[in-house]
């Protein structure tokens, strides 16, 4: 946006009792989530006000102050929650070498089956969860999800056999399924397309940190073995499960739902945030909305979106490699000749390096306003790491083997947030984005089923199937990112040419404002992010 003085109307247009301009179309019905504490009328384009009569830009210092205000309230909270969620889903790898496999007498692929069952239920329930998200307050829905997954995780300390472990992992997948798509969608309601990825990156680095934090925590909890007759793995599940239960009791009060209902923003600030998002289409013309109600039309539109299908290939590359790697890396390190406790600690530097790479790529990508080149670069780093793991004789060169675990983790983690941001940037209106992002993440996370079964115990210490599969799918992801980029470039050029040749007024006359708004990313005024 330009850094000029605020564009504030000297005289607002007449408004009827519903808050709409007299004689104007009601572009979008207000969502279910309303703020009962205030009946103030916001002067926004979503409420029917003309773009020339609303606040659309502020001085740079004021704009940055408002964004920091949102950052401090939203990003740290989501980051902590995702850290807790990722620890709970991945701590089975730490529990395995803390005695879980021995106590439950897991053999063959039984451990892999337990890991896999999480992703079966996790994938199926993400889209329904985001539909519920559009029907109720996000803060309350996320609190409900947290309580449920914390309860399941806590009760996992009581399992006595593989069947109990299977059931617990299945229900943990159901409970956790809605959190990540809900959190990522929530961020898109607050930031513009080249602002959201930096916040997503900070949020997602919690996943990278979770590997380090989980390893350190598991190392400490392991010394509780024998207390109250419980083994170390029992204490890992018990203590790490009580954390989300406790957080769920307060998080619904801390997490803001939307700019329109944010009690920590002034009326002036709310209007600015809402309008700057509604008027960002990439072309400088038209607008989008975050205030639309969910409908079957938008649900079907998400399911028919071909860019989501392409996104699945890239997402699978990430989930196959990441989840397989996360569940197996403690064992890979242990098999290099280290004790279980030292293996837990040695996972920490790997995840810290991955976290740093995620932040570097995300901020760099925002600066140059590109997504696909960084996705391809990240997977290329992972390809380099996978090739090295396949080529190195692990037992003979343990130091080199350990060192090349770093590019695998760094390359696998850094593209993920750009895949999610790229998809979210290119979906509108918000109902289609909510369903589309959940659909991307849902089907994409089925890659975790594959990832949970490619590192086969009998193939240790080199795991050729695991590292080989990761290599192949990363190459496919690089190709798909290029194909999607070319497709978006061609469509953008077609739309720019239409605007130049026909003019904005002629296009508006052909479709009408309401239809253009409902078209969302299919509007001639919407320009795709590359």
């Amino acid at each position: 946006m330009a850094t000029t003085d605020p564009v504030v109307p000297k005289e607002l247009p007449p408004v009827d009792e519903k808050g709409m301009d007299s004689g104007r179309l009601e572009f979008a019905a207000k969502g279910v989530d309303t703020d009962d504490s205030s009946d103030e009328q916001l002067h926004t384009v979503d409420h029917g006000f003309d773009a020339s009569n609303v606040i659309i830009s502020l001085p740079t210092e004021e704009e940055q102050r408002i964004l920091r205000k949102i950052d401090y309230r939203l990003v740290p909270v989501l980051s902590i929650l995702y850290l807790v969620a990722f620890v709970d889903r991945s701590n089975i790898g730490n529990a395995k070498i803390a005695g879980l496999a021995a106590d439950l007498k897991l053999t063959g692929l039984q451990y892999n089956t337990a890991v896999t069952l999480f992703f079966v239920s996790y994938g199926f329930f993400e889209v329904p969860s985001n539909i519920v998200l559009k029907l109720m307050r996000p803060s309350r829905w996320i609190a409900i999800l947290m309580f449920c997954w914390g309860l399941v995780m806590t009760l996992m300390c009581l399992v006595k056999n593989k069947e109990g472990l299977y059931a617990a992992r299945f229900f943990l997948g159901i409970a956790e399924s809605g959190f990540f798509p809900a959190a990522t969608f929530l961020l898109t309601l607050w930031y513009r397309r080249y602002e959201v990825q930096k916040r997503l990156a900070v949020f997602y680095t919690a996943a990278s940190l979770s590997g380090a934090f989980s390893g350190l925590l598991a190392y400490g909890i392991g010394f509780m073995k024998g207390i109250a007759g419980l083994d170390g793995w029992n204490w890992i599940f018990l203590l790490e499960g009580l954390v989300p239960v406790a957080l769920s009791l307060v998080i619904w009060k801390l997490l803001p739902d939307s700019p329109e209902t944010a009690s920590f923003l002034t009326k002036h600030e709310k209007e600015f945030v809402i309008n700057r998002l509604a008027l960002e289409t990439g072309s400088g013309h038209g607008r989008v909305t975050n205030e639309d109600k969910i409908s079957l039309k938008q649900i079907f539109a998400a399911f028919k979106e071909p860019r989501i299908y392409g996104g699945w290939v890239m997402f699978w590359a990430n989930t196959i490699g990441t989840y397989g790697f996360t569940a197996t890396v403690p064992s890979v390190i242990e098999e290099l000749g280290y004790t279980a406790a030292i293996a837990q600690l040695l996972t920490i530097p790997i995840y810290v390096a991955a976290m740093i790479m995620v932040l570097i790529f995300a901020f760099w990508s925002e600066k140059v306003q590109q997504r696909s080149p960084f996705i391809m670069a990240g997977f290329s780093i992972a390809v380099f790491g996978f090739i090295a793991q396949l080529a190195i004789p692990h037992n003979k060169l343990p130091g080199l083997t350990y060192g090349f675990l770093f590019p695998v983790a760094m390359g696998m983690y850094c593209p993920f947030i750009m895949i999610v941001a790229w998809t979210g940037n290119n979906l509108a209106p918000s109902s289609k984005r909510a369903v589309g992002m959940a659909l991307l993440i849902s089907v994409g996370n089925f890659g975790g089923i594959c990832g949970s079964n490619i590192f086969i115990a009998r193939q240790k210490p080199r795991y050729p199937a695991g590292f080989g599969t990761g290599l192949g799918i990363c190459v496919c992801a690089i190709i798909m990112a290029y194909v999607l980029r070319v497709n978006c470039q061609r469509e953008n050029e077609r739309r720019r040419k239409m605007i130049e040749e026909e003019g904005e007024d002629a296009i508006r006359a052909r479709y009408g404002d309401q239809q253009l708004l409902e078209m969302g990313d299919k509007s001639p005024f919407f320009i795709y992010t590359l």
Side-chain angles (χ1 to χ4, degrees), residues 149 154 184 191 247 270 356 438 471:
W149 94 59
T154 302
T184 52
Y191 301 102
L247 286 174
K270 291 178 183 179
I356 294 171
L471 170 62

Side-chain angles (χ1 to χ4, degrees), residues 379-528:
F379 283 124
S380 296
I381 294 172
V383 165
F384 174 67
F386 282 127
I387 291 174
Q389 290 296 332
L390 289 168
I392 296 170
H394 288 207
N395 287 341
K396 294 181 180 179
L397 298 170
L400 195 61
T401 300
Y402 175 73
F404 275 99
L405 290 174
F406 282 79
V408 172
M410 294 162 69
M412 293 305 306
Y413 274 95
C414 64
F416 176 74
I417 206 64
M418 280 169 282
I419 297 169
V420 175
W422 196 16
T423 303
N425 288 161
N426 290 338
L427 294 177
S430 68
S431 292
K432 180 181 178 180
R433 190 187 319 127
V435 178
M437 292 180 73
L439 185 60
L440 171 79
I441 297 166
S442 172
V443 178
N445 269 313
F446 283 125
I449 297 175
C450 175
S452 302
N453 291 282
I454 57 177
F455 287 88
I456 303 169
R458 67 175 180 270
Q459 294 185 344
K460 63 182 182 181
R462 295 185 64 185
Y463 298 100
F467 290 120
T469 303
L471 170 62
I473 192 64
C474 282
V475 171
C476 292
I478 294 170
I479 296 171
M480 182 53 68
Y482 178 76
V483 170
L484 289 177
R485 177 182 175 85
V486 171
N487 178 268
C488 288
Q489 282 178 320
R490 290 176 177 174
E491 183 61 24
N492 287 347
E493 287 302 314
R494 187 187 69 82
R495 293 179 182 183
R496 289 192 179 101
K497 185 176 181 181
M498 179 187 297
I499 294 172
E500 290 175 2
E501 292 180 351
E502 300 184 22
E504 180 179 353
D505 292 340
I507 295 173
R508 287 187 181 279
R510 183 193 312 169
Y511 294 101
D513 287 330
Q514 180 64 30
Q515 185 178 351
L516 286 169
L517 193 64
E518 292 175 354
M519 290 170 71
D521 57 84
K522 301 302 181 184
S523 166
F525 297 132
F526 190 95
I527 298 298
Y528 291 112

